[in-house]
Amino acid sequence: MNTIKRGLTAFVALALSGVAFTAAPAFAAGKLTISTPQDPGSWDPIDTFLVQWAAVSTNIFDGLTYRGPDLKLAPGLAESWEELDEGKRIRFKLRQNVKFHNGEPFNAEAVKFTFDRLLGEQGAKGPQRSNYTAIASVDVIDENTVDLKLKAPDPVLLTKLAGYGAMIVPPKYIQEKGEDNFNVNPVGTGAFKFVSYAPKVNIKLEANADYWGGAPKLSELEYRFISEPATAVAELQAGRVDIVIPPTIPIGMLPVIQGDSKLEIVSVPGPTVDALRFNTRDGITADPKVRKAIIMAVDRATIVKSILAGQGAEIASFQSALSFGYDPELKPLAYDPAAAKKLLAEAGVKAGATLQIDIRGNDATMNEVAQVIASYLQMVGITATIKPYETNVLLNDIIPQGKTGAMFQQKWGGWTFDYDNTAYSMYHSGEKWNPYDKDETLDKLLESQRPLTDRAERERILKEIGKYTAERALELPLYNTNAIYGVSKKVKGFIAPPDNRLKLTDVTVE
């Protein structure tokens, strides 16, 4: 990778001359500024499900395992692991001489504390615990060895350990400073250390010169929370932002960036899918005939072609083609407005019926898509109104509390690239993202595949889940989008991850 030369000559000259100075970095001076559309509100790994959290925190925290942009699993804070007892115990050998940013040692006790906390009372307050409930206990074997004992094998667990709730946290720091402090003053073992956080404004990080994976080539990172796409792109053009990350850039603004000689678009196939999910409990969308009619009333192929400009693909279930469990034989319900009208009539829905579509207010592409969907629905006799929400309000209040309209936007990253991560969260009774539906058959299907080590059988059940949810029409599946980054050509060594989990250790800025 290239390194930054600016400031390095003076550093070397001082070092050779023997001049004393303090706090000399082992990395090249340089600051990278990134625009992200959302402030997660808390930096605690167990508090979040947001890809925008991971875009920042992949640089602050480490997991026992690591999965990079190539989607291959690699050692993280664990140098190695082995599966024992027919997959019901995993033994991890931990890296030695690793420290948290506050100087606290990383060891087996820190691993135990992390998972006891995640699976305990504190973790129950957040959305991550259900991803890790296969873990029965964490046993410290010695300072550098730990066993995860499982209630049943979990074939996705090693991937889950690479992100979000499984990020290893410092016991002493949290116990002494408290949970509220940790939310806004995160400490991890990652390549960058927390400096400051201004809610709704920015979070600043500095290089961790002692990072176990090697010191970063940058000295500073700043993430600016810019929810308005036009503002983010303008800041990129002005040179005040170096990278704009997904899903900020609307398709309609791609030519603006492509036409600027200082900038480039980096687009990679990703796991992110968009749907308008249904309120299956109340109103006209409680009737599956109405839900199917709405799906058939919308020409999604045209939406992908005309609005996404080829930066995506139509989906039949709420997952991308990169997802384990994806069924290429499952086809979307065909666009058929005549059949839609017939179903609506059978359901007793009269012309002029109304419904509300809730969306993220800062998602310009979805705003345009929702307008088109409203037009399609108008043609079959349904009047749709669109209600935009501030993203955090929609995700943390409106959806989980079951206060949505008849349809609501769900954008999901599927970061494990395994349909279980999406399907369990969306469809299992009592989950945060399933405020309306309770289906015993679906619950049993979801639960039955989790402990299976037979990969083919698990895939069969996941495909069955996709087919079952499509038959019940639990959402209007829309599209799988590419991850689109706007990048200054001053940035070198940047590899665009499909899942927004930016690892910036080797990036430089000219």
Side-chain angles (χ1 to χ4, degrees), residues 63-82:
L64 293 175
T65 62
Y66 171 69
R67 192 193 66 201
D70 62 0
L71 306 184
K72 294 179 181 177
L73 206 60
L77 287 173
E79 290 184 327
S80 63
W81 55 85
E82 58 179 328

Side-chain angles (χ1 to χ4, degrees), residues 144-273:
N144 303 304
T145 310
V146 67
D147 282 0
L148 263 59
K149 289 186 177 178
L150 310 183
K151 300 171 188 173
D154 181 347
V156 195
L157 183 60
L158 286 170
T159 297
K160 293 175 184 174
L161 296 179
Y164 295 91
M167 297 291 92
I168 306 301
V169 299
K172 186 177 179 182
Y173 177 79
I174 293 175
Q175 290 165 343
E176 291 182 353
K177 300 292 186 180
E179 298 288 348
D180 291 342
N181 174 78
F182 186 59
N183 289 345
V184 293
N185 296 276
V187 167
T189 59
F192 289 86
K193 300 187 289 186
F194 172 78
V195 174
S196 66
Y197 168 51
K200 309 291 186 182
V201 179
N202 64 10
I203 181 169
K204 294 182 179 181
L205 313 178
E206 65 181 9
N208 175 13
D210 298 321
Y211 183 51
W212 59 265
K217 295 177 180 178
L218 292 163
S219 56
E220 299 175 69
L221 283 181
E222 179 183 1
Y223 289 80
R224 294 174 56 192
F225 307 122
I226 305 176
S227 61
E228 176 54 51
T231 303
V233 172
E235 290 295 277
L236 180 66
Q237 287 183 294
R240 290 186 288 268
V241 161
D242 301 304
I243 300 175
V244 176
I245 64 176
T248 303
I249 302 170
I251 301 299
M253 296 192 74
L254 291 181
V256 175
I257 297 174
Q258 290 165 333
D260 191 322
S261 62
K262 305 186 301 297
L263 310 176
E264 62 182 334
I265 289 289
V266 180
S267 177
V268 294
T272 301
V273 284

Side-chain angles (χ1 to χ4, degrees), residues 110-121:
V111 175
K112 180 173 174 56
F113 174 85
T114 294
F115 288 99
D116 286 350
R117 177 175 178 264
L118 169 62
L119 297 169
E121 183 180 337

Side-chain angles (χ1 to χ4, degrees), residues 400-472:
Q401 299 302 318
K403 298 188 293 187
T404 73
M407 303 171 74
F408 56 96
Q409 179 190 1
Q410 192 83 60
K411 181 185 288 287
W412 195 254
W415 76 277
T416 62
F417 292 83
D418 189 296
Y419 187 40
D420 167 80
N421 176 253
T422 303
Y424 204 97
S425 298
M426 296 297 120
Y427 309 127
H428 195 279
S429 299
E431 285 294 307
K432 177 176 181 176
W433 303 117
N434 181 22
Y436 300 119
D437 205 62
K438 189 167 186 177
D439 185 324
E440 187 175 340
T441 299
L442 190 48
D443 284 350
K444 287 180 179 177
L445 281 171
L446 289 162
E447 291 161 7
S448 69
Q449 55 80 34
R450 278 203 154 179
L452 295 180
T453 54
D454 183 331
R455 186 174 174 86
E457 176 63 8
R458 226 183 125 248
E459 185 176 32
R460 184 193 67 77
I461 296 174
L462 289 174
K463 287 181 177 180
E464 186 178 345
I465 291 168
K467 183 178 179 181
Y468 185 86
T469 56
E471 288 173 348
R472 286 204 56 215

